[in-house]
Amino acid sequence: MEIGVKKTIFSPKAIINQKFGSKACYKVEEVQEESTQNGFPGLAIPQKAPLFRCQLELPEFTVVSDICRKKKDAEQSAADLALKRLGHHSVAENPSDKDPCDALIDQIKYLFSDEFSLPLHPLRGHLRAALLRRGDLYGLVPASVITTCDTKTSNLCKLLNPEVELKPFLALSLIMRTIPRLSGCVTSKGQLSIQKQNPYPTEIIESSDIQQSDSPESILVKAIQIPASLDKTVQPVTLNISSAGYYLDVIAEQLGVTDASKVLLSRTIGKASSETRLYFAASESLVMDLLSDLANVKDFHVEGPPNARASYFCGQGIYGDAIMASIGYTWRSKELFHEHVSLQSYYRMLISKIPSGNYKLSREAILAAELPSVFTTKANWRGSFPREILFAFCHQHRLSEPIFSTTSVPLKASCELLRSQKKLKVTEVAGLATEYANGGGLNAGDGESVGLESNFRCEVKVFSKGRDLIIECSPKEIYRKQTDATHSASLKVLSWLNAYFKDLGMPLEKLNCSADALDISFSLENFHKEFALSQSIHNVQQSGTQGSKLPESKSTDMQYTLSGQDVCLPNIEGSDSGVFPSNGSLLCISYSVSLVTEGGHTKELIESKDEFEFEMGAGAVISALEAVVTQMSAGQCAHFNMNLPPQEFILAAVDDPGRIHSLLSSEACWLEYHVTLLRVTKPPEERMEQALFSPPLSKQRVEYAVQHIKKSCAATLVDFGCGSGSLLDSLLDYPTSLEKIVGVDISQKSLGRAAKVLHAKLSSKSDAGIKSAILYDGSITEFEPQLCGFDIGTCLEVIEHMEEDQACRFGDIALSYFRPKVLIVSTPNYEYNVILQRSSPVTQEEYPDEKSQSESCKFRNHDHKFEWTREQFNHWASELAKKHNYSVEFSGVGGSGDVEPGFASQIAVFKQESLLDEDDLLTKQNSSQHCKVVWNWNCADRSVVGTLSNK
């Protein structure tokens, strides 16, 4: 029987032109590759190889080519992809002029001929093993082995039937239909196997070292059995393979079939060099269909339920129970390769298909690490970089490699772009504009100018293997470094995918909103098509003990709790060292995580690390752990209990998942964390300030505020943006007239730290003079009647953490509605950064791209949205004062106002010149309340009330 297909004798582009003529539109664009060195030592000019990508627009669809070195290659690649979409296969897949069916026959004939002499070809190992089989099975090689071990045979089968890619058993039908036309090859009745008709010559047998052993050795290989039913758990199995036998016969027995010919093989899974595959059995009806001599068998009788878990790993249709094993013959050796596949490795492979799981594995901290929400600096990033994780994710899910388009943005365009965005950063615009006005590019080192192309924006697209667009991310932000742009764009895609995998039942509206927030567009149809199996696989792994009640804390020096079902109140032990973490700090902790059963009868260590570094505020650890560490100082220890995460993460972390799974299934459990904060490396801003100022700027700002409080004889104070309470805490060390202090912030984690510090100090000081202390959770850019009418307000180093329009809104709200008698606002002086950054011994480590003093300075903290010059700050403050009937005086701390470039930290002191009209005040007081009391201390009975949520 012959299977004919049209011979391809023209190039892909020629065929497209024949079919579509002028309706086919080719658009070639140049794509920038990351700079590479030219190989000449000492020459710091980066070399950029020209790369091209082609978009081919046809009447019914559009395809995008792979990245190519030549324009014509990009056009041919796009045409080839279009032909695949049309079901027409190009000459590239069948370089021979032969009919593919004839080519397949010739290839199989060659594989079973005496001329097949590649000693390390994987199929040679199977041929040798087949000659060790006994009885009727002697010399029989399963057809499934031929299609998986020989690349040319596999490609020809895909050419004849593209569905072979997703349904591997279809290749067996093509192989078996060639047998009647094969001279020298036969098969046995009812067997999906091929056998050489005539014996191999003696010299081939001797050279292949084929001999029966009187005392064969046994090889024990650990593997995993994956039941088709999701209600059943995966189980470890051991394959006992004799050196005188055939390993596929052992797998066949494990699957419950008579011989290896009925064992079907998936493609390899995991790493490119992996031999891990899934093995499953062909039913009797499927065997009969595959052996049928009918020319067009379309509806194969695949008995047995689909195996969703196995299919999820390999991206192919798997039916019935399956065996996951890493065993087979390779190009590297004649010997049978094998390595163990444990339950732990199974679960690690499972979580590696989730972006956060991949990151956790790279950190070797499955129960502590979390995929960061922001890419700050390479120096502070730990674990695999976002671009690497995105490539790995696409590989795991059988998608095409992500395509990055990095665009150079000239400095002039950068200025205009920044002004057009509502994320306006005045100083960055000013710095860029200055450089552009001076005509210069940024110095690239050794006197080589890189011209105006010193800013970058990166777009990323994710396609299916069939080149259907799934995800497109087009960030608006621009970056000074090309790698930062690439990693940031990658992280946006990963963050969105991670949110989906965490909430697989996410409503479409929420999915769209999260995509919009991350500058992502996606094809819902293509997205669901590629990730259809994700919901059934990852949802079934959810822990069955999520509802277990956590034990209450035995001891604590605090009166508030972390509410919600996730975390129990932490116990913090050890003396307060005064070294606290803050956003941007690099922390080093040691930790251990144990699984504890209800009643504490069983306690199993799950995971521990002696040293683990992460950046505070970047979301690089699970939120519960970060919330607790926020409340600690260096040297302190804490322990807390937490409900179970999805079961797959716990089982991926332990050495013996089988025993732990039984424990999880039989008893109510939770996780117990023990953590020690070993050290705190302060963020660049604090390190730079401490390198130049003594006392530190933070302490100088507090002393400046204290002097004004004393002068004004203020009795009430509100600290806008109080953070972890550093100002309020410091105020308690000075004798003042204050009786009531209030702090407000939007970070509950920071408020938790503030509550702990203030409670400890107020409870121990009987002569502090403070009668009331309150902490509010709320925004300082929204009107709140409880914040009105204070004697003095402070807002120290806060506004630069907002967008500029929000800083302006705060100024209006504070002076028109809150109307403190005195308002003190401080913010960094951008002009002073050149001194700070030059003074810091870690500047080059943090910012290795800064190679010239003429280059614009970085912001002091990656979280700063802007930093103002003196002129910009004076203009902002003067306009506010004039608008709201306040006077304003300018001063600062750090440096001198009489010497350029002024103070390091600039300060504006607003003083009220007239009282608010009483009718207006009543109107404001009747407004709704936006802030929530999270902590309230009263001196009369030394009581404290309030709760803090772990967010």
Side-chain angles (χ1 to χ4, degrees):
M1 189 212 81
E2 296 188 10
I3 303 173
V5 295
K6 184 178 178 180
K7 295 179 182 178
T8 306
I9 57 175
F10 299 108
S11 70
K13 188 176 179 182
I15 298 173
I16 290 292
N17 289 340
Q18 285 180 353
K19 288 179 175 290
F20 296 97
S22 60
K23 293 181 180 179
C25 179
Y26 295 85
K27 296 180 179 178
V28 180
E29 62 174 340
E30 185 172 342
V31 180
Q32 285 199 345
E33 186 179 43
E34 290 190 12
S35 301
T36 57
Q37 294 300 321
N38 55 15
F40 292 94
L43 187 59
I45 304 175
Q47 304 296 299
K48 295 185 179 180
L51 298 174
F52 301 94
R53 182 170 57 234
C54 178
Q55 178 175 296
L56 172 56
E57 296 178 356
L58 297 177
E60 296 181 358
F61 58 84
T62 299
V63 295
V64 180
S65 75
D66 294 322
I67 296 176
C68 303
R69 295 287 179 185
K70 298 179 180 179
K71 289 183 179 180
K72 64 179 183 179
D73 290 343
E75 291 176 342
Q76 292 289 1
S77 174
D80 191 39
L81 291 169
L83 289 176
K84 289 180 181 178
R85 288 281 295 271
L86 294 167
H88 187 113
H89 298 276
S90 70
V91 70
E93 293 180 283
N94 183 25
S96 163
D97 286 338
K98 287 185 178 180
D99 181 280
C101 185
D102 293 336
L104 179 61
I105 292 170
D106 288 348
Q107 179 65 9
I108 295 174
K109 188 184 300 183
Y110 165 70
L111 293 174
F112 284 86
S113 69
D114 297 343
E115 287 74 32
F116 179 49
S117 58
L118 296 174
L120 294 183
H121 192 293
L123 191 58
R124 285 298 294 265
H126 288 275
L127 290 169
R128 288 193 299 272
L131 295 176
L132 293 174
R133 303 176 82 183
R134 300 178 184 274
D136 295 338
L137 298 177
Y138 175 81
L140 285 172
V141 178
S144 59
V145 164
I146 301 171
T147 61
T148 54
C149 291
D150 184 59
T151 303
K152 186 173 181 180
T153 301
S154 177
N155 288 338
L156 287 167
C157 288
K158 293 174 187 175
L159 181 58
L160 288 164
N161 187 349
E163 290 189 37
V164 167
E165 182 73 29
L166 298 179
K167 300 176 181 178
F169 58 83
L170 294 178
L172 276 64
S173 175
L174 298 171
I175 297 292
M176 300 310 295
R177 292 181 204 179
T178 66
I179 294 177
R181 297 178 56 188
L182 288 173
S183 58
C185 293
V186 294
T187 187
S188 296
K189 185 177 180 180
Q191 287 275 338
L192 295 171
S193 298
I194 299 177
Q195 181 183 45
K196 182 175 169 59
Q197 190 171 22
N198 299 317
Y200 285 100
T202 304
E203 59 270 20
I204 292 181
I205 297 292
E206 291 177 350
S207 66
S208 299
D209 193 26
I210 300 172
Q211 55 185 358
Q212 293 283 358
S213 173
D214 295 331
S215 56
E217 298 178 355
S218 290
I219 304 172
L220 300 180
V221 181
K222 293 181 180 179
I224 297 297
Q225 185 162 23
I226 306 175
S229 172
L230 292 174
D231 295 330
K232 297 180 179 179
T233 60
V234 297
Q235 296 292 336
V237 295
T238 300
L239 306 176
N240 190 346
I241 301 166
S242 170
S243 60
Y246 187 27
Y247 79 91
L248 279 176
D249 286 330
V250 178
I251 292 178
E253 183 181 356
Q254 188 71 44
L255 290 170
V257 292
T258 55
D259 65 86
S261 73
K262 297 181 177 62
V263 175
L264 307 181
L265 285 67
S266 77
R267 54 192 169 198
T268 57
I269 58 179
K271 297 179 181 179
S273 59
S274 170
E275 279 300 313
T276 306
R277 298 180 188 271
L278 290 152
Y279 300 83
F280 61 109
S283 63
E284 290 297 330
S285 59
L286 178 60
V287 172
M288 296 302 295
D289 283 345
L290 293 172
L291 290 171
S292 171
D293 58 357
L294 298 177
N296 294 300
V297 178
K298 294 183 178 179
D299 299 321
F300 288 97
H301 296 85
V302 183
E303 294 181 356
N307 193 321
R309 282 179 289 205
S311 297
Y312 183 58
F313 277 109
C314 66
Q316 294 177 305
I318 307 292
Y319 296 87
D321 293 351
I323 299 290
M324 178 189 286
S326 183
I327 188 170
Y329 295 99
T330 71
W331 286 95
R332 299 185 292 272
S333 171
K334 289 182 180 181
E335 302 300 323
L336 179 67
F337 168 85
H338 61 89
E339 62 183 4
H340 297 307
V341 178
S342 65
L343 269 178
Q344 185 190 53
S345 57
Y346 166 84
Y347 284 108
R348 288 185 172 227
M349 289 175 66
L350 183 62
I351 69 170
S352 71
K353 293 176 76 72
I354 305 174
S356 65
N358 193 300
Y359 180 77
K360 288 169 178 284
L361 289 170
S362 75
R363 300 282 346 249
E364 298 181 350
I366 296 173
L367 299 178
E370 184 55 88
L371 180 70
S373 57
V374 61
F375 183 82
T376 54
T377 65
K378 269 193 170 184
N380 279 6
W381 187 274
R382 298 293 184 270
S384 296
F385 285 99
R387 185 176 183 273
E388 299 168 12
I389 299 174
L390 184 57
F391 268 92
F393 178 86
C394 291
H395 173 72
Q396 290 275 9
H397 289 271
R398 306 285 173 177
L399 307 176
S400 295
E401 289 188 348
I403 294 176
F404 295 90
S405 301
T406 306
T407 307
S408 295
V409 183
L411 291 178
K412 182 177 181 180
S414 299
C415 299
E416 295 170 354
L417 177 65
L418 287 168
R419 288 193 180 98
S420 68
Q421 295 175 4
K422 270 308 179 183
K423 293 183 176 180
L424 193 62
K425 302 178 182 179
V426 173
T427 48
E428 189 165 342
V429 173
L432 291 172
T434 301
E435 291 179 42
Y436 179 74
N438 292 336
L442 301 179
N443 191 290
D446 295 335
E448 295 293 337
S449 173
V450 298
L452 298 180
E453 297 183 344
S454 55
N455 300 285
F456 299 93
R457 172 192 284 152
C458 180
E459 295 183 353
V460 60
K461 295 179 181 178
V462 177
F463 292 87
S464 69
K465 282 292 186 184
R467 307 305 293 181
D468 294 316
L469 180 63
I470 303 172
I471 301 170
E472 181 175 4
C473 180
S474 304
K476 301 178 180 66
E477 297 85 0
I478 60 174
Y479 298 86
R480 284 298 186 87
K481 297 175 67 177
Q482 186 172 343
T483 52
D484 286 354
T486 302
H487 288 312
S488 296
S490 300
L491 187 56
K492 285 196 171 192
V493 175
L494 292 169
S495 297
W496 184 71
L497 288 167
N498 210 44
Y500 170 75
F501 277 94
K502 281 186 174 181
D503 183 9
L504 290 163
M506 183 185 297
L508 179 59
E509 182 180 357
K510 185 177 179 182
L511 192 64
N512 283 323
C513 287
S514 62
D516 291 341
L518 293 167
D519 303 316
I520 288 174
S521 59
F522 66 100
S523 166
L524 183 62
E525 179 183 356
N526 294 337
F527 183 79
H528 282 162
K529 179 181 176 182
E530 294 298 329
F531 300 106
L533 286 174
S534 300
Q535 292 198 15
S536 59
I537 302 305
H538 290 288
N539 275 340
V540 80
Q541 303 296 332
Q542 296 297 319
S543 170
T545 57
Q546 291 293 321
S548 59
K549 185 179 179 182
L550 294 175
E552 294 184 5
S553 174
K554 295 180 180 178
S555 63
T556 178
D557 60 352
M558 295 298 296
Q559 303 294 319
Y560 65 89
T561 62
L562 295 170
S563 64
Q565 296 183 345
D566 290 332
V567 184
C568 183
L569 176 69
N571 291 305
I572 298 177
E573 302 170 351
S575 58
D576 195 329
S577 66
V579 180
F580 305 114
S582 59
N583 282 352
S585 299
L586 194 61
L587 309 187
C588 183
I589 64 172
S590 64
Y591 74 90
S592 65
V593 186
S594 300
L595 183 70
V596 182
T597 59
E598 192 168 15
H601 302 300
T602 305
K603 184 175 181 179
E604 296 282 348
L605 179 65
I606 303 293
E607 179 178 282
S608 65
K609 288 186 79 70
D610 292 333
E611 287 197 355
F612 179 75
E613 285 189 332
F614 66 95
E615 182 178 359
M616 188 74 176
V621 292
I622 59 172
S623 57
L625 180 56
E626 184 165 291
V628 171
V629 173
T630 301
Q631 304 174 53
M632 300 168 63
S633 64
Q636 287 188 320
C637 305
H639 66 269
F640 62 94
N641 298 317
M642 177 178 166
N643 271 333
L644 301 181
Q647 208 175 86
E648 57 204 88
F649 291 99
I650 298 175
L651 299 177
V654 297
D655 294 331
D656 187 2
R659 189 165 60 86
I660 297 300
H661 187 275
S662 300
L663 202 61
L664 292 171
S665 304
S666 60
E667 298 188 55
C669 307
W670 55 80
L671 295 182
E672 181 179 275
Y673 282 73
H674 285 260
V675 57
T676 301
L677 182 55
L678 301 176
R679 57 181 178 270
V680 177
T681 304
K682 295 186 177 180
E685 179 181 14
E686 294 183 40
R687 278 180 276 167
M688 288 186 292
E689 290 179 355
Q690 288 184 355
L692 197 61
F693 299 106
S694 181
L697 281 182
S698 57
K699 187 171 182 63
Q700 292 187 39
R701 285 189 289 266
V702 171
E703 291 176 346
Y704 183 93
V706 167
Q707 295 306 316
H708 274 273
I709 293 167
K710 287 182 175 180
K711 285 182 183 178
S712 63
C713 297
T716 59
L717 176 142
V718 56
D719 187 17
F720 298 106
C722 66
S724 57
S726 57
L727 172 62
L728 298 177
D729 175 33
S730 299
L731 287 175
L732 299 179
D733 294 330
Y734 296 87
T736 67
S737 56
L738 290 174
E739 298 179 357
K740 177 181 180 180
I741 56 175
V742 169
V744 56
D745 204 281
I746 60 173
S747 169
Q748 291 197 355
K749 287 185 288 187
S750 296
L751 290 170
R753 171 64 195 160
K756 177 187 174 184
V757 170
L758 294 175
H759 176 81
K761 187 166 286 188
L762 287 169
S763 298
S764 62
K765 283 181 174 287
S766 58
D767 57 345
I770 301 296
K771 297 179 180 178
S772 172
I774 306 174
L775 294 178
Y776 290 107
D777 172 20
S779 171
I780 62 174
T781 60
E782 297 292 336
F783 174 69
E784 171 54 57
Q786 298 174 101
L787 304 181
C788 292
F790 280 76
D791 292 336
I792 192 165
T794 54
C795 184
L796 306 185
E797 309 297 287
V798 173
I799 60 173
E800 64 273 11
H801 294 271
M802 311 175 186
E803 302 295 346
E804 284 189 306
D805 58 345
Q806 290 297 299
C808 294
R809 177 175 172 79
F810 163 71
D812 284 329
I813 292 285
L815 299 186
S816 64
Y817 294 161
F818 300 151
R819 292 191 67 81
K821 294 177 182 177
V822 177
L823 176 64
I824 303 173
V825 179
S826 77
T827 191
N829 172 13
Y830 177 72
E831 297 165 273
Y832 208 93
N833 287 3
V834 65
I835 296 177
L836 284 173
Q837 291 172 15
R838 204 183 305 144
S839 72
S840 173
V842 297
T843 299
Q844 292 304 313
E845 175 189 343
E846 293 294 332
Y847 308 114
D849 59 328
E850 297 207 352
K851 301 182 179 181
S852 169
Q853 292 182 14
S854 64
E855 187 174 338
S856 277
C857 294
K858 294 274 186 180
F859 290 165
R860 298 184 195 178
N861 190 306
H862 68 82
D863 191 48
H864 288 183
K865 303 299 187 296
F866 66 86
E867 288 181 1
W868 278 334
T869 63
R870 288 168 292 173
E871 181 182 355
Q872 291 163 338
F873 181 60
N874 288 4
H875 176 76
W876 174 80
S878 298
E879 289 296 312
L880 280 176
K882 181 180 178 181
K883 181 179 179 181
H884 300 293
N885 204 19
Y886 273 75
S887 63
V888 62
E889 297 176 358
F890 296 99
S891 185
V893 294
S896 171
D898 300 327
V899 179
E900 289 296 322
F903 292 108
S905 186
Q906 48 192 342
I907 298 175
V909 181
F910 299 88
K911 293 183 179 179
Q912 190 182 103
E913 293 191 338
S914 65
L915 297 176
L916 188 67
D917 185 79
E918 189 172 336
D919 293 336
D920 287 341
L921 181 61
L922 290 173
T923 301
K924 304 293 185 295
Q925 289 177 339
N926 291 331
S927 301
S928 60
Q929 297 183 356
H930 297 282
C931 290
K932 175 186 174 183
V933 176
V934 294
W935 181 80
N936 189 349
W937 182 88
N938 192 296
C939 144
D941 52 6
R942 302 275 165 176
S943 64
V944 57
V945 296
T947 60
L948 291 172
S949 299
N950 172 37
K951 293 184 180 179

